[in-house]
Amino acid sequence: MSQLFVVGTPIGNLQDLSPRAVQTLRTVDFIAAEDTRVTLKLLNHFEIKKPMVSYYEHNLHEKGEYILSRILSGETCAVVSDAGMPCISDPGEDLVRLCAAHGVTVTVVPGPSAAVSALAVSGLVTSRFTFEGFLSTNKASRMEHLSSLENERRTMIFYEAPHKLSATLGDLKSVFGADRPLSVCRELTKIHEEILRTTIGGACEYFEQNTPKGEFVLIVSGQEKQEAAQLPLEEVCQIGRKMILSGMRTTDVAKALAKTYGYKKAELYKSLL
Ligand code: SAM
């Protein structure tokens, strides 16, 4: 009673809907769906009959209040998106916040997400990553977003639509360079699943020859330590001296800078003295 379930649905392969998700969709009072036609296909496949409320980007506010009022009156609701985890570049985030603010129990029924699935098969570093979602369609905002990631060390995850892929690869190349490792993950869990483990330049060339089709996640390697180490020792020391002036111990400064810029701690320590 009075509960919201955030239910992950497949990103392609219907076999990926978990038994717990099926059970939840069967037992809730109603489903808040991003596109009721898309969700109806999923429900039909699993022979689930359930009333649905459409809940999407442009009716979030009005429908959110309506869904909340039904939940507060004692009903249970499952929120789903067209594919993958709700709330991740998909509706759900506001509803979770709204329900939580009104003391409603919000429970997750986890399912696949294109972002994490792509990261896992990218072959790139997975220990630290940042999710960037879709880049803006506005060129200036897109470049501002990418420029803010110029020195990002963590692996970066982007969503992209096929008709914008080539332009985005061009923008990635201008910010990160042609040699930066990149994995292009296409149509995951579907018949035409394809993972291209290449560089940004390699992907640009590939998609000049092959028209992008389907759904894509781009996994871009973070900046390598060696690239950061290209900062000359004297410049690193200038940064270090400011840190020392701010009250840090020379040994701690040398340790921190060695980690960031790839120099030996002893070498930095000696130069800083
Ligand atoms: N919330 C979803 C999730 O967690 O996976 C993502 C929704 S977002 C609106 C849709 C984007 O996810 C697509 O444009 C594409 O970038 C990516 N995507 C979804 N399904 C995919 C798939 N099967 N293969 C590759 N990318 C996919």
Side-chain angles (χ1 to χ4, degrees):
M1 273 159 295
S2 283
Q3 194 165 350
L4 177 72
F5 293 90
V6 179
V7 180
T9 59
I11 56 170
N13 192 324
L14 293 185
Q15 300 302 317
D16 292 335
L17 189 71
S18 75
R20 185 167 164 241
V22 173
Q23 173 72 8
T24 304
L25 295 175
R26 275 212 173 100
T27 50
V28 289
D29 293 307
F30 69 103
I31 297 170
E34 183 184 9
D35 184 333
T36 52
R37 290 161 306 178
V38 172
T39 301
L40 186 62
K41 285 187 198 148
L42 181 75
L43 296 184
N44 285 343
H45 182 85
F46 288 92
E47 297 178 346
I48 299 170
K49 284 198 180 4
K50 196 61 61 180
M52 280 191 276
V53 169
S54 109
Y55 177 72
Y56 61 99
E57 201 186 340
H58 299 292
N59 73 3
L60 292 180
H61 185 65
E62 148 212 356
K63 279 296 172 67
E65 293 291 340
Y66 168 72
I67 293 164
L68 174 69
S69 70
R70 285 185 62 171
I71 296 175
L72 288 177
S73 73
E75 292 190 270
T76 53
C77 171
V79 60
V80 298
S81 62
D82 287 355
M85 279 307 289
C87 313
I88 310 300
S89 293
D90 260 344
E93 182 184 340
D94 297 73
L95 190 59
V96 167
R97 208 167 12 244
L98 190 64
C99 286
H102 286 80
V104 171
T105 304
V106 180
T107 302
V108 69
V109 181
S113 179
V116 173
S117 306
L119 176 69
V121 290
S122 67
L124 298 175
V125 173
T126 58
S127 53
R128 295 190 68 203
F129 61 89
T130 153
F131 175 65
E132 300 300 324
F134 289 100
L135 289 168
S136 168
T137 48
N138 174 283
K139 177 85 176 166
S141 314
R142 197 162 70 231
M143 291 315 286
E144 194 184 320
H145 183 164
L146 286 175
S147 303
S148 74
L149 296 170
E150 206 177 341
N151 300 314
E152 178 58 64
R153 301 274 291 273
R154 295 167 293 183
T155 302
M156 293 162 273
I157 306 176
F158 298 91
Y159 283 161
E160 197 46 283
H163 63 282
K164 289 196 279 153
L165 187 80
S166 297
T168 295
L169 288 173
D171 291 341
L172 292 177
K173 189 161 126 183
S174 70
V175 174
F176 301 118
D179 296 333
R180 183 70 69 90
L182 162 82
S183 291
V184 182
C185 304
R186 182 174 92 88
E187 294 286 88
L188 295 174
T189 77
K190 303 185 196 175
I191 297 169
H192 298 294
E193 176 173 298
E194 185 182 24
I195 296 135
L196 193 62
R197 299 180 186 89
T198 177
T199 57
I200 294 177
C204 288
E205 280 171 28
Y206 180 85
F207 287 106
E208 269 167 28
Q209 310 296 327
N210 303 276
T211 310
K213 283 188 202 133
E215 302 201 85
F216 291 89
V217 182
L218 303 175
I219 311 285
V220 181
S221 179
Q223 189 185 57
E224 291 282 338
K225 246 187 193 163
Q226 290 88 310
E227 289 179 53
Q230 280 164 6
L231 201 64
L233 182 62
E234 186 41 42
E235 282 184 41
V236 177
C237 286
Q238 276 172 21
I239 299 170
R241 282 182 206 110
K242 282 186 195 150
M243 292 163 81
I244 293 167
L245 283 176
S246 77
M248 277 179 79
R249 293 188 319 157
T250 308
T251 179
D252 293 335
V253 169
K255 192 174 170 190
L257 293 179
K259 208 171 166 202
T260 307
Y261 294 98
Y263 286 99
K264 290 222 162 57
K265 184 188 162 192
E267 183 185 12
L268 277 168
Y269 185 80
K270 208 169 137 202
S271 306
L272 283 168
L273 284 179

